[in-house]
Amino acid sequence: MFKCIFRKDHIYKCLLNGEWVESKSGKTNKIFSPADGSFLGELQAMGLEEADRFILTAKAAQKSWGDTAVNERAQILHKAAEILDKQKDIIANVIVKEIAKNKKTALSEVERSVDYIHFTAEEGMRVSGENLSSDVFPGFNNKKLSIISRVPLGVVLAVSPFNYPVNLSASKIAPALIAGNAVVFKPPTQGAISALYLARVFCEAGIPAGVLNVITGQGREIGDYLVKHPDINMVNFTGSSSVGRHIAEIAGMKPLLLELGGKDAAIVLEDADISFAAKNIVSGAYSYSGQRCTAVKRILVLESIADNLVDEMLPLVKKLSVGNPADDADITPLISDAAADFVQGIIDDARQKGAKLLFGDQREKNLIYPTLFDHVTVDMRLAWEEPFGPVLPIIRVKSIEEAIDISNRSEYGLQACIFTQDIDNAFDIASKLDVGTVQINNKSERGPDHFPFGGVKSSGLGTQGIRYSIEAMSRSKAVVINFK
Ligand code: NAP
Ligand code: G3P
């Protein structure tokens, strides 16, 4: 197998036109593990003048890639998925060190990406155009036939966040490629090493030179330049709402897919199976220490059953193990000290304003212990802000209407969950919630990855999900035959 040499000692390189290259400036960013502070490597800090080469290379390579038969593109994706599967243990170990995700979850992220890429290769073969006859429109006879096919957009800029450096990169790159686009991929700085392993997989699978290019550097330094570049035809971004909003402001007329923050509510009704709801909510709120866009980030529970819910939840929260990601701890250090400071600020605000601390509020550097608050009220930051950490508020409500109102008053609208035994009521509430997805009797979550996934309001723009992502990264083109 062709080996892609993507690093020299601890210095990782960028992928440009099929070659692994270093920045001409010699500048690098050093990466340390959030788990124990150990040095992991150095990334190229590409400058603006160098960014041009990545984009122009992709533009030049796209034409022949777009003309390549879909079944050939699919074969390369299948090959990439097979190689990724073989390397899953190595890559999971990199994720463990680089973003302090526990081994079990890191492995499942890679396995899920293998399935994602295979499924995308299959789905890309099924996405097709249509024919429309003119005679269905008033005043027209059948002398016109519109033949509609799907064509690539050109060069897609893919920007992914730290929390799923492999999965949320694969879920941009694979649909973009199968649709015939070339890709400029900008991974998160903390998470880029894992993402570069993924890029190497595509390289080893035989992706033609220039079709996938990977540029590293701080988003705040090169991001705007990449987004605004006239030869970038589409931006597919996952990350914070603040950066997403900024991208939307500067992108001009480029199509956008934005997956942003969330404040998913779990609404627990009087007829819910409380023990089942408690298990779901605890796992939904605290997995990967709450650093998931779809983490359950607030509980809206009817007053009459709130004590029961607390009784069921508290032992589960107390049982969560805290520590090292390599030891598969449930709660691991957050991505940075700054992230932990932010979470601590939200915790302090809740305590000052009188929330009842049930468990937690313990911290060692960037390790925040699982924290659960009861009697959180709407004047507290914890009721509205996305902590991206292991802290969960219980907000007691008097009625279902109040739960719907508080859920909808959020600036976010990613997902919401309803726990109830009454399916009619569940559908009625679901129809009133301003979110992309409502889960009935389950925690909020993205998968399975062919389901549509997207948020409203500050949670995003457009719909992901394998077929939806392929469609978003292609467009329809019509040729009209006019018969005599
Ligand atoms: P972030 O700080 O917004 O960074 C995301 C990516 O954007 C990184 O690659 C970052 O690069 C880059 N970036 C920064 N400034 C940029 C700019 N001006 N132009 C272009 N790119 C720029 O987010 P994060 O901390 O990595 O991720 C956490 C957030 O993502 C949370 O809010 C979470 O809810 C959200 N998220 C949403 C979803 C979803 O599907 N809705 C999924 C996962 C995460 P650098 O790393 O170099 O700064
Ligand atoms: O935050 C990442 C997003 O893709 C959610 O995936 O599986 O954690 O719900 P999941």
Side-chain angles (χ1 to χ4, degrees), residues 159-163 168 186-189 217-220 223-224 237-240 243 246-247 259-261 293 386 388 414 446 453:
V159 184
S160 55
F162 79 83
N163 65 337
L168 287 175
K186 155 55 196 117
T189 298
Q218 296 285 350
R220 61 178 177 273
D224 286 13
F237 170 85
T238 302
S240 61
V243 175
H246 171 71
I247 287 175
E259 299 182 335
L260 310 176
C293 59
E386 179 189 47
F388 233 55
L414 195 55
R446 182 194 185 108
F453 178 71

PDB file of all heavy atoms in Angstrom, residues 159-163 168 186-189 217-220 223-224 237-240 243 246-247 259-261 293 386 388 414 446 453, ligand 1:
ATOM      1  N   VAL A 159     -14.939  22.832   7.644  1.00  0.00           N
ATOM      2  CA  VAL A 159     -14.329  23.269   8.919  1.00  0.00           C
ATOM      3  C   VAL A 159     -15.004  22.505  10.052  1.00  0.00           C
ATOM      4  O   VAL A 159     -16.227  22.552  10.187  1.00  0.00           O
ATOM      5  CB  VAL A 159     -14.510  24.792   9.146  1.00  0.00           C
ATOM      6  CG1 VAL A 159     -13.790  25.227  10.425  1.00  0.00           C
ATOM      7  CG2 VAL A 159     -14.020  25.599   7.956  1.00  0.00           C
ATOM      8  N   SER A 160     -14.219  21.784  10.841  1.00  0.00           N
ATOM      9  CA  SER A 160     -14.812  20.931  11.877  1.00  0.00           C
ATOM     10  C   SER A 160     -14.361  21.368  13.275  1.00  0.00           C
ATOM     11  O   SER A 160     -13.356  22.050  13.429  1.00  0.00           O
ATOM     12  CB  SER A 160     -14.460  19.462  11.603  1.00  0.00           C
ATOM     13  OG  SER A 160     -13.068  19.320  11.492  1.00  0.00           O
ATOM     14  N   PRO A 161     -15.110  20.936  14.311  1.00  0.00           N
ATOM     15  CA  PRO A 161     -14.801  21.334  15.692  1.00  0.00           C
ATOM     16  C   PRO A 161     -13.965  20.281  16.416  1.00  0.00           C
ATOM     17  O   PRO A 161     -13.746  19.183  15.894  1.00  0.00           O
ATOM     18  CB  PRO A 161     -16.200  21.409  16.322  1.00  0.00           C
ATOM     19  CG  PRO A 161     -16.936  20.292  15.654  1.00  0.00           C
ATOM     20  CD  PRO A 161     -16.368  20.144  14.262  1.00  0.00           C
ATOM     21  N   PHE A 162     -13.561  20.614  17.640  1.00  0.00           N
ATOM     22  CA  PHE A 162     -12.657  19.719  18.370  1.00  0.00           C
ATOM     23  C   PHE A 162     -13.337  18.445  18.864  1.00  0.00           C
ATOM     24  O   PHE A 162     -12.682  17.427  19.069  1.00  0.00           O
ATOM     25  CB  PHE A 162     -12.040  20.459  19.584  1.00  0.00           C
ATOM     26  CG  PHE A 162     -12.964  20.561  20.775  1.00  0.00           C
ATOM     27  CD1 PHE A 162     -13.072  19.508  21.673  1.00  0.00           C
ATOM     28  CD2 PHE A 162     -13.740  21.683  20.995  1.00  0.00           C
ATOM     29  CE1 PHE A 162     -13.928  19.581  22.775  1.00  0.00           C
ATOM     30  CE2 PHE A 162     -14.594  21.777  22.090  1.00  0.00           C
ATOM     31  CZ  PHE A 162     -14.693  20.722  22.978  1.00  0.00           C
ATOM     32  N   ASN A 163     -14.671  18.468  19.076  1.00  0.00           N
ATOM     33  CA  ASN A 163     -15.268  17.397  19.887  1.00  0.00           C
ATOM     34  C   ASN A 163     -15.472  16.075  19.144  1.00  0.00           C
ATOM     35  O   ASN A 163     -15.591  15.034  19.784  1.00  0.00           O
ATOM     36  CB  ASN A 163     -16.564  17.867  20.553  1.00  0.00           C
ATOM     37  CG  ASN A 163     -17.669  18.183  19.580  1.00  0.00           C
ATOM     38  OD1 ASN A 163     -17.408  18.460  18.413  1.00  0.00           O
ATOM     39  ND2 ASN A 163     -18.904  18.144  20.032  1.00  0.00           N
ATOM     40  N   LEU A 168     -16.884  14.335  12.627  1.00  0.00           N
ATOM     41  CA  LEU A 168     -17.457  15.540  12.018  1.00  0.00           C
ATOM     42  C   LEU A 168     -16.590  16.073  10.875  1.00  0.00           C
ATOM     43  O   LEU A 168     -17.002  16.992  10.167  1.00  0.00           O
ATOM     44  CB  LEU A 168     -17.713  16.617  13.073  1.00  0.00           C
ATOM     45  CG  LEU A 168     -18.915  16.303  13.977  1.00  0.00           C
ATOM     46  CD1 LEU A 168     -19.066  17.328  15.089  1.00  0.00           C
ATOM     47  CD2 LEU A 168     -20.207  16.203  13.177  1.00  0.00           C
ATOM     48  N   LYS A 186     -10.170  22.368   6.794  1.00  0.00           N
ATOM     49  CA  LYS A 186      -9.473  23.066   7.887  1.00  0.00           C
ATOM     50  C   LYS A 186      -9.953  22.441   9.208  1.00  0.00           C
ATOM     51  O   LYS A 186     -11.060  22.704   9.672  1.00  0.00           O
ATOM     52  CB  LYS A 186      -9.806  24.556   7.772  1.00  0.00           C
ATOM     53  CG  LYS A 186      -9.744  25.470   8.958  1.00  0.00           C
ATOM     54  CD  LYS A 186      -8.546  25.596   9.777  1.00  0.00           C
ATOM     55  CE  LYS A 186      -8.832  26.251  11.117  1.00  0.00           C
ATOM     56  NZ  LYS A 186      -8.566  25.352  12.224  1.00  0.00           N
ATOM     57  N   PRO A 187      -9.145  21.555   9.789  1.00  0.00           N
ATOM     58  CA  PRO A 187      -9.547  20.911  11.052  1.00  0.00           C
ATOM     59  C   PRO A 187      -9.394  21.866  12.236  1.00  0.00           C
ATOM     60  O   PRO A 187      -8.717  22.888  12.118  1.00  0.00           O
ATOM     61  CB  PRO A 187      -8.568  19.735  11.161  1.00  0.00           C
ATOM     62  CG  PRO A 187      -7.384  20.114  10.349  1.00  0.00           C
ATOM     63  CD  PRO A 187      -7.815  21.112   9.315  1.00  0.00           C
ATOM     64  N   PRO A 188      -9.981  21.502  13.391  1.00  0.00           N
ATOM     65  CA  PRO A 188      -9.778  22.316  14.589  1.00  0.00           C
ATOM     66  C   PRO A 188      -8.319  22.225  15.004  1.00  0.00           C
ATOM     67  O   PRO A 188      -7.711  21.159  14.830  1.00  0.00           O
ATOM     68  CB  PRO A 188     -10.667  21.627  15.630  1.00  0.00           C
ATOM     69  CG  PRO A 188     -10.717  20.205  15.181  1.00  0.00           C
ATOM     70  CD  PRO A 188     -10.695  20.243  13.685  1.00  0.00           C
ATOM     71  N   THR A 189      -7.757  23.279  15.559  1.00  0.00           N
ATOM     72  CA  THR A 189      -6.337  23.209  15.938  1.00  0.00           C
ATOM     73  C   THR A 189      -6.142  22.112  16.983  1.00  0.00           C
ATOM     74  O   THR A 189      -5.265  21.248  16.832  1.00  0.00           O
ATOM     75  CB  THR A 189      -5.851  24.581  16.427  1.00  0.00           C
ATOM     76  OG1 THR A 189      -5.978  25.492  15.325  1.00  0.00           O
ATOM     77  CG2 THR A 189      -4.411  24.537  16.878  1.00  0.00           C
ATOM     78  N   GLY A 217      -3.840  25.691  10.828  1.00  0.00           N
ATOM     79  CA  GLY A 217      -3.533  27.062  11.253  1.00  0.00           C
ATOM     80  C   GLY A 217      -4.686  27.529  12.118  1.00  0.00           C
ATOM     81  O   GLY A 217      -5.767  26.937  12.069  1.00  0.00           O
ATOM     82  N   GLN A 218      -4.469  28.562  12.912  1.00  0.00           N
ATOM     83  CA  GLN A 218      -5.523  29.038  13.808  1.00  0.00           C
ATOM     84  C   GLN A 218      -6.695  29.593  13.004  1.00  0.00           C
ATOM     85  O   GLN A 218      -6.509  30.422  12.105  1.00  0.00           O
ATOM     86  CB  GLN A 218      -4.991  30.158  14.707  1.00  0.00           C
ATOM     87  CG  GLN A 218      -3.887  29.722  15.662  1.00  0.00           C
ATOM     88  CD  GLN A 218      -4.430  28.903  16.838  1.00  0.00           C
ATOM     89  OE1 GLN A 218      -5.641  28.823  17.043  1.00  0.00           O
ATOM     90  NE2 GLN A 218      -3.536  28.289  17.595  1.00  0.00           N
ATOM     91  N   GLY A 219      -7.905  29.165  13.370  1.00  0.00           N
ATOM     92  CA  GLY A 219      -9.097  29.636  12.668  1.00  0.00           C
ATOM     93  C   GLY A 219      -9.211  31.145  12.672  1.00  0.00           C
ATOM     94  O   GLY A 219      -9.591  31.763  11.678  1.00  0.00           O
ATOM     95  N   ARG A 220      -8.840  31.763  13.797  1.00  0.00           N
ATOM     96  CA  ARG A 220      -8.984  33.228  13.877  1.00  0.00           C
ATOM     97  C   ARG A 220      -8.003  33.942  12.952  1.00  0.00           C
ATOM     98  O   ARG A 220      -8.163  35.107  12.630  1.00  0.00           O
ATOM     99  CB  ARG A 220      -8.831  33.715  15.323  1.00  0.00           C
ATOM    100  CG  ARG A 220      -7.514  33.415  15.951  1.00  0.00           C
ATOM    101  CD  ARG A 220      -7.388  33.968  17.374  1.00  0.00           C
ATOM    102  NE  ARG A 220      -6.121  33.573  17.953  1.00  0.00           N
ATOM    103  CZ  ARG A 220      -5.914  32.425  18.603  1.00  0.00           C
ATOM    104  NH1 ARG A 220      -6.906  31.591  18.773  1.00  0.00           N
ATOM    105  NH2 ARG A 220      -4.718  32.122  19.074  1.00  0.00           N
ATOM    106  N   GLY A 223      -9.189  31.718   9.014  1.00  0.00           N
ATOM    107  CA  GLY A 223     -10.581  31.342   8.741  1.00  0.00           C
ATOM    108  C   GLY A 223     -11.301  32.297   7.816  1.00  0.00           C
ATOM    109  O   GLY A 223     -11.912  31.894   6.810  1.00  0.00           O
ATOM    110  N   ASP A 224     -11.232  33.585   8.139  1.00  0.00           N
ATOM    111  CA  ASP A 224     -11.972  34.570   7.336  1.00  0.00           C
ATOM    112  C   ASP A 224     -11.495  34.556   5.887  1.00  0.00           C
ATOM    113  O   ASP A 224     -12.289  34.655   4.951  1.00  0.00           O
ATOM    114  CB  ASP A 224     -11.779  35.993   7.898  1.00  0.00           C
ATOM    115  CG  ASP A 224     -12.570  36.198   9.179  1.00  0.00           C
ATOM    116  OD1 ASP A 224     -13.037  35.191   9.747  1.00  0.00           O
ATOM    117  OD2 ASP A 224     -12.720  37.357   9.605  1.00  0.00           O
ATOM    118  N   PHE A 237     -19.603  24.082   7.847  1.00  0.00           N
ATOM    119  CA  PHE A 237     -18.957  24.400   9.125  1.00  0.00           C
ATOM    120  C   PHE A 237     -19.692  23.765  10.283  1.00  0.00           C
ATOM    121  O   PHE A 237     -20.927  23.810  10.356  1.00  0.00           O
ATOM    122  CB  PHE A 237     -18.958  25.928   9.312  1.00  0.00           C
ATOM    123  CG  PHE A 237     -18.535  26.379  10.694  1.00  0.00           C
ATOM    124  CD1 PHE A 237     -17.191  26.535  11.003  1.00  0.00           C
ATOM    125  CD2 PHE A 237     -19.491  26.653  11.672  1.00  0.00           C
ATOM    126  CE1 PHE A 237     -16.802  26.948  12.281  1.00  0.00           C
ATOM    127  CE2 PHE A 237     -19.103  27.067  12.947  1.00  0.00           C
ATOM    128  CZ  PHE A 237     -17.758  27.215  13.246  1.00  0.00           C
ATOM    129  N   THR A 238     -18.966  23.189  11.233  1.00  0.00           N
ATOM    130  CA  THR A 238     -19.539  22.809  12.529  1.00  0.00           C
ATOM    131  C   THR A 238     -18.689  23.441  13.612  1.00  0.00           C
ATOM    132  O   THR A 238     -17.462  23.327  13.597  1.00  0.00           O
ATOM    133  CB  THR A 238     -19.550  21.282  12.714  1.00  0.00           C
ATOM    134  OG1 THR A 238     -20.294  20.688  11.654  1.00  0.00           O
ATOM    135  CG2 THR A 238     -20.233  20.901  14.033  1.00  0.00           C
ATOM    136  N   GLY A 239     -19.369  24.106  14.543  1.00  0.00           N
ATOM    137  CA  GLY A 239     -18.652  24.742  15.643  1.00  0.00           C
ATOM    138  C   GLY A 239     -19.588  25.619  16.445  1.00  0.00           C
ATOM    139  O   GLY A 239     -20.810  25.414  16.447  1.00  0.00           O
ATOM    140  N   SER A 240     -19.025  26.603  17.093  1.00  0.00           N
ATOM    141  CA  SER A 240     -19.818  27.441  17.993  1.00  0.00           C
ATOM    142  C   SER A 240     -20.745  28.378  17.205  1.00  0.00           C
ATOM    143  O   SER A 240     -20.475  28.722  16.051  1.00  0.00           O
ATOM    144  CB  SER A 240     -18.882  28.267  18.868  1.00  0.00           C
ATOM    145  OG  SER A 240     -18.100  29.104  18.049  1.00  0.00           O
ATOM    146  N   VAL A 243     -18.915  31.734  16.060  1.00  0.00           N
ATOM    147  CA  VAL A 243     -18.115  31.657  14.822  1.00  0.00           C
ATOM    148  C   VAL A 243     -19.041  31.400  13.621  1.00  0.00           C
ATOM    149  O   VAL A 243     -18.866  31.985  12.552  1.00  0.00           O
ATOM    150  CB  VAL A 243     -17.003  30.584  14.933  1.00  0.00           C
ATOM    151  CG1 VAL A 243     -16.273  30.424  13.610  1.00  0.00           C
ATOM    152  CG2 VAL A 243     -16.016  30.946  16.025  1.00  0.00           C
ATOM    153  N   HIS A 246     -20.619  34.590  12.532  1.00  0.00           N
ATOM    154  CA  HIS A 246     -19.606  35.416  11.871  1.00  0.00           C
ATOM    155  C   HIS A 246     -19.390  34.929  10.428  1.00  0.00           C
ATOM    156  O   HIS A 246     -19.339  35.735   9.488  1.00  0.00           O
ATOM    157  CB  HIS A 246     -18.319  35.348  12.687  1.00  0.00           C
ATOM    158  CG  HIS A 246     -17.143  35.976  12.027  1.00  0.00           C
ATOM    159  ND1 HIS A 246     -17.022  37.351  11.874  1.00  0.00           N
ATOM    160  CD2 HIS A 246     -16.039  35.436  11.434  1.00  0.00           C
ATOM    161  CE1 HIS A 246     -15.889  37.621  11.227  1.00  0.00           C
ATOM    162  NE2 HIS A 246     -15.285  36.472  10.950  1.00  0.00           N
ATOM    163  N   ILE A 247     -19.313  33.613  10.258  1.00  0.00           N
ATOM    164  CA  ILE A 247     -19.114  33.065   8.905  1.00  0.00           C
ATOM    165  C   ILE A 247     -20.291  33.456   8.011  1.00  0.00           C
ATOM    166  O   ILE A 247     -20.115  33.869   6.859  1.00  0.00           O
ATOM    167  CB  ILE A 247     -18.934  31.525   8.977  1.00  0.00           C
ATOM    168  CG1 ILE A 247     -17.552  31.215   9.543  1.00  0.00           C
ATOM    169  CG2 ILE A 247     -19.129  30.867   7.608  1.00  0.00           C
ATOM    170  CD1 ILE A 247     -17.280  29.740   9.791  1.00  0.00           C
ATOM    171  N   GLU A 259     -23.622  23.816  11.438  1.00  0.00           N
ATOM    172  CA  GLU A 259     -24.084  23.034  12.599  1.00  0.00           C
ATOM    173  C   GLU A 259     -23.488  23.712  13.825  1.00  0.00           C
ATOM    174  O   GLU A 259     -22.268  23.680  14.002  1.00  0.00           O
ATOM    175  CB  GLU A 259     -23.523  21.609  12.577  1.00  0.00           C
ATOM    176  CG  GLU A 259     -23.903  20.765  11.411  1.00  0.00           C
ATOM    177  CD  GLU A 259     -23.311  19.351  11.566  1.00  0.00           C
ATOM    178  OE1 GLU A 259     -22.293  19.175  12.257  1.00  0.00           O
ATOM    179  OE2 GLU A 259     -23.885  18.443  10.983  1.00  0.00           O
ATOM    180  N   LEU A 260     -24.347  24.268  14.675  1.00  0.00           N
ATOM    181  CA  LEU A 260     -23.820  25.133  15.735  1.00  0.00           C
ATOM    182  C   LEU A 260     -24.221  24.624  17.122  1.00  0.00           C
ATOM    183  O   LEU A 260     -24.492  23.450  17.309  1.00  0.00           O
ATOM    184  CB  LEU A 260     -24.282  26.573  15.465  1.00  0.00           C
ATOM    185  CG  LEU A 260     -24.025  27.062  14.020  1.00  0.00           C
ATOM    186  CD1 LEU A 260     -24.586  28.443  13.791  1.00  0.00           C
ATOM    187  CD2 LEU A 260     -22.541  27.021  13.670  1.00  0.00           C
ATOM    188  N   GLY A 261     -24.266  25.515  18.080  1.00  0.00           N
ATOM    189  CA  GLY A 261     -24.486  25.111  19.467  1.00  0.00           C
ATOM    190  C   GLY A 261     -25.909  24.678  19.756  1.00  0.00           C
ATOM    191  O   GLY A 261     -26.793  24.738  18.899  1.00  0.00           O
ATOM    192  N   CYS A 293     -22.744  18.788  21.074  1.00  0.00           N
ATOM    193  CA  CYS A 293     -23.793  19.764  20.736  1.00  0.00           C
ATOM    194  C   CYS A 293     -25.152  19.233  21.157  1.00  0.00           C
ATOM    195  O   CYS A 293     -26.026  19.989  21.568  1.00  0.00           O
ATOM    196  CB  CYS A 293     -23.781  20.067  19.244  1.00  0.00           C
ATOM    197  SG  CYS A 293     -24.042  18.629  18.221  1.00  0.00           S
ATOM    198  N   GLU A 386     -24.969  27.561  26.884  1.00  0.00           N
ATOM    199  CA  GLU A 386     -24.425  26.223  26.602  1.00  0.00           C
ATOM    200  C   GLU A 386     -23.087  26.095  27.330  1.00  0.00           C
ATOM    201  O   GLU A 386     -22.105  26.707  26.918  1.00  0.00           O
ATOM    202  CB  GLU A 386     -24.209  26.077  25.089  1.00  0.00           C
ATOM    203  CG  GLU A 386     -23.631  24.737  24.700  1.00  0.00           C
ATOM    204  CD  GLU A 386     -23.211  24.644  23.237  1.00  0.00           C
ATOM    205  OE1 GLU A 386     -22.543  25.566  22.734  1.00  0.00           O
ATOM    206  OE2 GLU A 386     -23.544  23.634  22.605  1.00  0.00           O
ATOM    207  N   PHE A 388     -21.081  23.425  27.616  1.00  0.00           N
ATOM    208  CA  PHE A 388     -20.139  22.490  26.995  1.00  0.00           C
ATOM    209  C   PHE A 388     -19.246  21.887  28.068  1.00  0.00           C
ATOM    210  O   PHE A 388     -18.021  21.821  27.951  1.00  0.00           O
ATOM    211  CB  PHE A 388     -19.329  23.166  25.880  1.00  0.00           C
ATOM    212  CG  PHE A 388     -19.400  22.392  24.588  1.00  0.00           C
ATOM    213  CD1 PHE A 388     -20.615  22.081  24.017  1.00  0.00           C
ATOM    214  CD2 PHE A 388     -18.233  21.960  23.950  1.00  0.00           C
ATOM    215  CE1 PHE A 388     -20.688  21.341  22.837  1.00  0.00           C
ATOM    216  CE2 PHE A 388     -18.291  21.222  22.774  1.00  0.00           C
ATOM    217  CZ  PHE A 388     -19.529  20.926  22.227  1.00  0.00           C
ATOM    218  N   LEU A 414     -31.720  23.095  18.587  1.00  0.00           N
ATOM    219  CA  LEU A 414     -31.153  21.898  17.955  1.00  0.00           C
ATOM    220  C   LEU A 414     -32.108  20.710  18.136  1.00  0.00           C
ATOM    221  O   LEU A 414     -32.774  20.294  17.193  1.00  0.00           O
ATOM    222  CB  LEU A 414     -29.769  21.612  18.561  1.00  0.00           C
ATOM    223  CG  LEU A 414     -28.878  20.630  17.813  1.00  0.00           C
ATOM    224  CD1 LEU A 414     -28.672  21.041  16.372  1.00  0.00           C
ATOM    225  CD2 LEU A 414     -27.528  20.482  18.508  1.00  0.00           C
ATOM    226  N   ARG A 446     -27.559  12.623  17.617  1.00  0.00           N
ATOM    227  CA  ARG A 446     -27.558  12.858  16.179  1.00  0.00           C
ATOM    228  C   ARG A 446     -27.938  11.604  15.381  1.00  0.00           C
ATOM    229  O   ARG A 446     -28.683  11.678  14.423  1.00  0.00           O
ATOM    230  CB  ARG A 446     -26.148  13.294  15.784  1.00  0.00           C
ATOM    231  CG  ARG A 446     -25.977  13.616  14.337  1.00  0.00           C
ATOM    232  CD  ARG A 446     -24.484  13.691  14.012  1.00  0.00           C
ATOM    233  NE  ARG A 446     -24.259  14.112  12.667  1.00  0.00           N
ATOM    234  CZ  ARG A 446     -23.786  15.304  12.332  1.00  0.00           C
ATOM    235  NH1 ARG A 446     -23.488  16.175  13.244  1.00  0.00           N
ATOM    236  NH2 ARG A 446     -23.594  15.619  11.079  1.00  0.00           N
ATOM    237  N   PHE A 453     -30.416  15.967  10.191  1.00  0.00           N
ATOM    238  CA  PHE A 453     -29.920  16.578  11.422  1.00  0.00           C
ATOM    239  C   PHE A 453     -29.621  18.044  11.160  1.00  0.00           C
ATOM    240  O   PHE A 453     -28.852  18.376  10.264  1.00  0.00           O
ATOM    241  CB  PHE A 453     -28.640  15.855  11.875  1.00  0.00           C
ATOM    242  CG  PHE A 453     -28.021  16.447  13.114  1.00  0.00           C
ATOM    243  CD1 PHE A 453     -28.637  16.290  14.356  1.00  0.00           C
ATOM    244  CD2 PHE A 453     -26.827  17.153  13.049  1.00  0.00           C
ATOM    245  CE1 PHE A 453     -28.059  16.837  15.501  1.00  0.00           C
ATOM    246  CE2 PHE A 453     -26.251  17.690  14.188  1.00  0.00           C
ATOM    247  CZ  PHE A 453     -26.868  17.527  15.421  1.00  0.00           C
TER     248      PHE A 453
HETATM  249  P1  NAP B   1     -15.273  26.808  17.442  1.00  0.00           P
HETATM  250  O1  NAP B   1     -14.367  27.474  18.400  1.00  0.00           O
HETATM  251  O2  NAP B   1     -16.356  27.609  16.824  1.00  0.00           O
HETATM  252  O3  NAP B   1     -14.311  26.179  16.314  1.00  0.00           O
HETATM  253  C1  NAP B   1     -14.810  25.374  15.286  1.00  0.00           C
HETATM  254  C2  NAP B   1     -13.890  25.427  14.098  1.00  0.00           C
HETATM  255  O4  NAP B   1     -13.927  26.729  13.525  1.00  0.00           O
HETATM  256  C3  NAP B   1     -12.418  25.159  14.424  1.00  0.00           C
HETATM  257  O5  NAP B   1     -11.846  24.426  13.373  1.00  0.00           O
HETATM  258  C4  NAP B   1     -11.836  26.563  14.470  1.00  0.00           C
HETATM  259  O6  NAP B   1     -10.455  26.603  14.237  1.00  0.00           O
HETATM  260  C5  NAP B   1     -12.602  27.196  13.332  1.00  0.00           C
HETATM  261  N1  NAP B   1     -12.639  28.662  13.296  1.00  0.00           N
HETATM  262  C6  NAP B   1     -12.442  29.552  14.284  1.00  0.00           C
HETATM  263  N2  NAP B   1     -12.594  30.810  13.821  1.00  0.00           N
HETATM  264  C7  NAP B   1     -12.903  30.710  12.504  1.00  0.00           C
HETATM  265  C8  NAP B   1     -13.194  31.645  11.475  1.00  0.00           C
HETATM  266  N3  NAP B   1     -13.188  32.953  11.688  1.00  0.00           N
HETATM  267  N4  NAP B   1     -13.493  31.178  10.251  1.00  0.00           N
HETATM  268  C9  NAP B   1     -13.508  29.840   9.999  1.00  0.00           C
HETATM  269  N5  NAP B   1     -13.237  28.916  10.934  1.00  0.00           N
HETATM  270  C10 NAP B   1     -12.949  29.344  12.170  1.00  0.00           C
HETATM  271  O7  NAP B   1     -16.009  25.540  18.102  1.00  0.00           O
HETATM  272  P2  NAP B   1     -15.399  24.380  19.000  1.00  0.00           P
HETATM  273  O8  NAP B   1     -15.044  24.931  20.338  1.00  0.00           O
HETATM  274  O9  NAP B   1     -14.338  23.641  18.228  1.00  0.00           O
HETATM  275  O10 NAP B   1     -16.658  23.387  19.131  1.00  0.00           O
HETATM  276  C11 NAP B   1     -17.623  23.526  20.137  1.00  0.00           C
HETATM  277  C12 NAP B   1     -18.880  24.143  19.592  1.00  0.00           C
HETATM  278  O11 NAP B   1     -19.300  23.447  18.434  1.00  0.00           O
HETATM  279  C13 NAP B   1     -20.051  24.044  20.569  1.00  0.00           C
HETATM  280  O12 NAP B   1     -20.769  25.251  20.571  1.00  0.00           O
HETATM  281  C14 NAP B   1     -20.899  22.921  19.991  1.00  0.00           C
HETATM  282  O13 NAP B   1     -22.246  22.965  20.361  1.00  0.00           O
HETATM  283  C15 NAP B   1     -20.684  23.107  18.530  1.00  0.00           C
HETATM  284  N6  NAP B   1     -20.960  21.862  17.820  1.00  0.00           N
HETATM  285  C16 NAP B   1     -22.109  21.754  17.082  1.00  0.00           C
HETATM  286  C17 NAP B   1     -22.429  20.572  16.437  1.00  0.00           C
HETATM  287  C18 NAP B   1     -23.702  20.425  15.660  1.00  0.00           C
HETATM  288  O14 NAP B   1     -23.785  19.440  14.927  1.00  0.00           O
HETATM  289  N7  NAP B   1     -24.676  21.310  15.754  1.00  0.00           N
HETATM  290  C19 NAP B   1     -21.567  19.486  16.531  1.00  0.00           C
HETATM  291  C20 NAP B   1     -20.409  19.615  17.287  1.00  0.00           C
HETATM  292  C21 NAP B   1     -20.116  20.812  17.923  1.00  0.00           C
HETATM  293  P3  NAP B   1      -9.415  26.645  15.468  1.00  0.00           P
HETATM  294  O15 NAP B   1      -9.594  25.366  16.208  1.00  0.00           O
HETATM  295  O16 NAP B   1      -8.115  26.791  14.810  1.00  0.00           O
HETATM  296  O17 NAP B   1      -9.799  27.836  16.303  1.00  0.00           O
END
